[in-house]
Amino acid sequence: MIDLIVKEIRKKKEFQNLDALFVKSLIKKEYERVKDGLIGHVNPKKSKDFKNIIKNSRKILHDIYGVFNIDTKKRKEILEKIKKNPHNKDLHRHLLETHRSSKERLFFYENLYEKILSKKDKTILDIGCGLNPVSWIFMKNKPQKYIALELTNEDCAFLNDYFKAVKLNGKALRVDLLKVKSFEAADVCFIFKVLDSLEEVKKGISKEILNKLQCKKIIVSFPSRTLSGKGRIGTRRWFERLIKKFEKFEIENEIFYIINKENLY
Ligand SMILES: C[S@@+](CC[C@H](N)C(=O)[O-])C[C@H]1O[C@@H](n2cnc3c(N)ncnc32)[C@H](O)[C@@H]1O
């Protein structure tokens, strides 16, 4: 029955790239609650519980994944152009515009990297990266190594293709951050706009992730506007209570925390 539900959820184009096992683990709790009714039903697909679990799960998946992908077809077309013109900043800007998070900080990248990166930051780990690795073009120094972690094979294949096109020593790996056991070491780790949605699904996961990082410097960000853009979301008190010492600053729509791993707790 649970496989039938997962299949139904993934019928929607927005979720086709999501790994079936990931979807399964996400809906498990709600499934346990309704499974007896569903299994005993003559036509489970027509039942209220079935329709509800599909609707609720799709909403969660939309919020943590689907909502960010603006135009994946255009993304591929832009990459083809980048292959012919690998260091063109405008093409990079267009590519960053196809993911909602990088689109929002598009005009702040140069200042942002100036502020958070130093010459010593040669290797970068970017978790729940979206298209952010493409923004390396706005860094003063080209990273020696860029490790990018994302949720779907499709997105990772795209990023690996991109790394090859621009000859950046990068690799994108498919990882479910809710289950990851360890992270590769790096000088700096970016956790941009990821923790809110992970916490929605698994309370306490931020601390688990921070504990597993092997990076001297950690940069965490949160949106300071709701997805509709109308409401303001302020400081994350729960996060500030978690970290002993940090430096905080804001750009439009986003709050950043610079954390030294030694000062975590
Ligand atoms: C708000 S976007 C931020 C993207 C990027 N960090 C940025 O700020 O430009 C959140 C990203 O986290 C990824 N994500 C969500 N849940 C995840 C999980 N369990 N494991 C890995 N990645 C996940 C989504 O696919 C999405 O690209």
Side-chain angles (χ1 to χ4, degrees), residues 4 15 28 45 53 93 112 135 192 196 225 229 231 233-234 240 253:
L4 183 75
F15 308 123
K28 220 163 183 167
K45 272 187 145 186
I53 196 168
R93 280 191 191 97
L112 175 68
S135 70
F192 293 170
D196 276 341
R225 299 236 144 244
I233 331 170
E240 294 191 0
N253 301 329

Side-chain angles (χ1 to χ4, degrees), residues 156-182:
C156 290
F158 179 88
L159 283 171
N160 282 323
D161 211 9
Y162 164 80
F163 287 141
K164 214 164 126 196
V166 296
K167 294 195 171 56
L168 177 65
N169 178 21
K171 62 176 172 188
L173 304 168
R174 199 223 145 236
V175 160
D176 177 2
L177 292 169
L178 297 165
K179 293 204 176 122
V180 70
K181 293 206 166 63
S182 62

